[in-house]
Amino acid sequence: MVTILITGGNGQLGNELKRISGHFSGYNFIFTDMAELDIRDSVAVQGFISANKPDWIINCAAYNAVDKAETDKENAFGINSGAVKNIAGSITGTPTRFIHVSTDYVFNGNSHRPYNEEDAPSPLTQYGRSKSDGETEALKHQGSMVIRTSWLYSPYGTNFVKTIIEKAIAKGSLNVVFDQIGTPTYAADLATAIMSIISGTIKNKFPFVPGIYHYSNEGVCSWYDFAMAIISLTGIECTVNPVLSTSFNSVAKRPFYSVMDKSKIKERYDLRIPHWADSLKKCLPLIYNTNNHERI
């Protein structure tokens, strides 16, 4: 039986992997979060991996408080880089495959075309730097795949979609930036893609090729466009005003453009990726009941 260890199991992606795990027979899934395994503790990581001998490890754990990371650098790097070093170091010399999830924020946003995997990282923030360092640590293991994603949302945890719904109901009017461009990613789609890669590799549909890959939903939008779509689909009565990033006193500077080219992962692993607007339509009923206007 194939054993798959998922760290960060209580996060958005971890929960989506948990949700679909029942569809994969012949796999032994081990879901952990900080309570079960503190991946910042190298001794604990080594012991856990030695005891469970996973064939695959999916690291969904992340410190993603972008603004807070500017002053909480130690914790950001401890989770986003140091913990990754612990995992990769514990499987060095073994056939264990390692899938580590990273972010579009490793880029500075100055591009005018979608970023590909050959573009050099140039993060603007401590969060971005910690994630970039984590990529470097992951790739020290010969069987590692880094998947960069962007604007992740789901029915779980805290994310832009849930925040927009909550604030729209409470306030009736919102200011949302229109000068930051990227692509939303439904965590369920990313979870499905990861399991497609793992199962396809095991079934010899294609070879597992280590390296860096990009994954988000298809299409491009601004945060304002995304917010407008959420409001339109939920039917919440709310005015959404487009504003410049300078209207917000954010501690950390966000990239103005972080669209990623997904050609590599689509072609190598035969993936069909849904458009962000279609995936949003699937996710919203799991978050918000449009019939009685109550959170579900």
Side-chain angles (χ1 to χ4, degrees):
M1 181 174 286
V2 175
T3 296
I4 303 174
L5 168 63
I6 294 93
T7 56
N10 291 339
Q12 294 192 81
L13 182 57
N15 268 302
E16 290 291 1
L17 285 164
K18 199 177 296 181
R19 186 183 60 79
I20 67 172
S21 62
H23 300 305
F24 293 87
S25 59
Y27 295 76
N28 173 36
F29 290 89
I30 303 173
F31 291 90
T32 67
D33 213 276
M34 294 295 278
E36 297 81 20
L37 175 62
D38 185 346
I39 56 176
R40 298 170 299 181
D41 184 336
S42 61
V43 175
V45 171
Q46 181 67 64
F48 194 94
I49 289 175
S50 296
N52 291 279
K53 296 179 174 55
D55 300 287
W56 295 78
I57 299 174
I58 308 170
N59 182 35
C60 305
Y63 182 110
N64 54 19
V66 179
D67 286 327
K68 188 178 178 182
E70 292 298 300
T71 53
D72 193 22
K73 180 179 175 181
E74 183 177 353
N75 282 321
F77 277 80
I79 296 171
N80 292 342
S81 179
V84 182
K85 180 180 180 179
N86 293 339
I87 296 170
S90 296
I91 56 177
T92 297
T94 75
T96 301
R97 269 77 180 265
F98 182 28
I99 297 178
H100 172 64
V101 181
S102 191
T103 175
D104 58 325
Y105 277 33
V106 300
F107 297 117
N108 61 23
N110 293 334
S111 178
H112 297 287
R113 58 152 178 83
Y115 284 97
N116 63 47
E117 293 83 355
E118 301 303 316
D119 290 319
S122 180
L124 300 171
T125 62
Q126 295 296 350
Y127 166 71
R129 293 182 190 101
S130 69
K131 293 297 288 185
S132 181
D133 282 4
E135 294 181 358
T136 300
E137 295 296 344
L139 293 171
K140 288 179 180 177
H141 174 57
Q142 74 282 357
S144 290
M145 170 187 287
V146 169
I147 301 179
R148 293 175 180 145
T149 192
S150 61
W151 300 18
L152 202 67
Y153 70 93
S154 73
Y156 307 100
T158 301
N159 55 66
F160 182 81
V161 176
K162 295 174 77 174
T163 298
I164 288 295
I165 291 172
E166 290 166 358
K167 290 187 175 181
I169 294 171
K171 297 182 177 182
S173 179
L174 297 173
N175 294 335
V176 183
V177 298
F178 71 90
D179 58 350
Q180 293 176 24
I181 309 299
T183 307
T185 306
Y186 183 21
D189 292 335
L190 177 54
T192 299
I194 289 172
M195 286 309 303
S196 176
I197 290 169
I198 292 175
S199 62
T201 299
I202 292 170
K203 294 174 183 178
N204 293 318
K205 285 178 62 178
F206 36 67
F208 179 80
V209 183
I212 299 174
Y213 295 83
H214 290 169
Y215 184 97
S216 67
N217 281 119
E218 297 284 19
V220 177
C221 66
S222 68
W223 286 113
Y224 168 77
D225 298 325
F226 194 21
M228 285 293 292
I230 295 164
I231 297 302
S232 175
L233 289 168
T234 56
I236 300 170
E237 291 189 12
C238 178
T239 301
V240 183
N241 305 305
V243 298
L244 292 166
S245 297
T246 51
S247 299
F248 290 90
N249 295 318
S250 299
V251 176
K253 186 179 180 181
R254 272 69 170 173
F256 286 118
Y257 182 91
S258 60
V259 179
M260 297 186 295
D261 182 344
K262 299 172 287 289
S263 302
K264 181 179 176 182
I265 200 168
K266 288 193 292 185
E267 294 168 4
R268 191 153 289 174
Y269 295 105
D270 193 26
L271 295 179
R272 297 184 65 183
I273 303 177
H275 191 277
W276 70 263
D278 295 327
S279 290
L280 179 62
K281 291 175 185 177
K282 291 181 180 179
C283 180
L284 279 175
L286 303 176
I287 299 175
Y288 185 75
N289 188 329
T290 57
N291 294 321
N292 59 20
H293 288 196
E294 292 180 359
R295 295 290 305 283
I296 58 173

